[in-house]
Amino acid sequence: MRENDILIGSLMEETWLTLEQVAAACRVEPDWLVRHIEEGLFPGSRGTAGIWRFSSAQLLRARRMRQVERDFDAVPELAALVADMLEELDELRARLDRARPR
């Protein structure tokens, strides 16, 4: 995990981001994000009256997906699968850390 990811997760845990903010942070057009939402690749996205809100975890997911698509010329579904696996790995590591005796 990069320092920037830690900073984002720590500072923005309770903050909701707009579609435009997430797109800018990922260096993609908002249409990229909308297409991925419409394809169901962002579970738990919140949209009301055409206004989308994203958590810091969803920002991390978007960044991961964009990186996989760019670096490996992957289709969005594969990038989403990789993001799912990385999220699961993060959760397992967190559970392991909590289970370790201090």
Side-chain angles (χ1 to χ4, degrees), residues 28-101:
V28 296
E29 294 295 320
D31 289 344
W32 178 90
L33 200 50
V34 170
R35 282 193 312 273
H36 286 68
I37 292 167
E38 289 173 348
E39 292 174 10
L41 303 178
F42 278 91
S45 298
R46 295 184 186 187
T48 306
I51 299 173
W52 291 94
R53 298 285 181 241
F54 299 87
S55 67
S56 59
Q58 289 169 318
L59 171 59
L60 179 58
R61 178 180 182 81
R63 285 183 163 182
R64 286 174 167 171
M65 288 174 60
R66 178 62 188 127
Q67 184 176 4
V68 170
E69 287 180 20
R70 184 190 65 232
D71 293 351
F72 299 101
D73 196 26
V75 297
E77 295 81 6
L78 178 59
L81 178 61
V82 171
D84 289 343
M85 293 170 54
L86 290 170
E87 289 165 6
E88 182 68 22
L89 186 58
D90 290 343
E91 175 59 30
L92 290 171
R93 285 180 176 152
R95 287 175 56 193
L96 183 60
D97 285 345
R98 287 191 301 269
R100 285 190 180 133

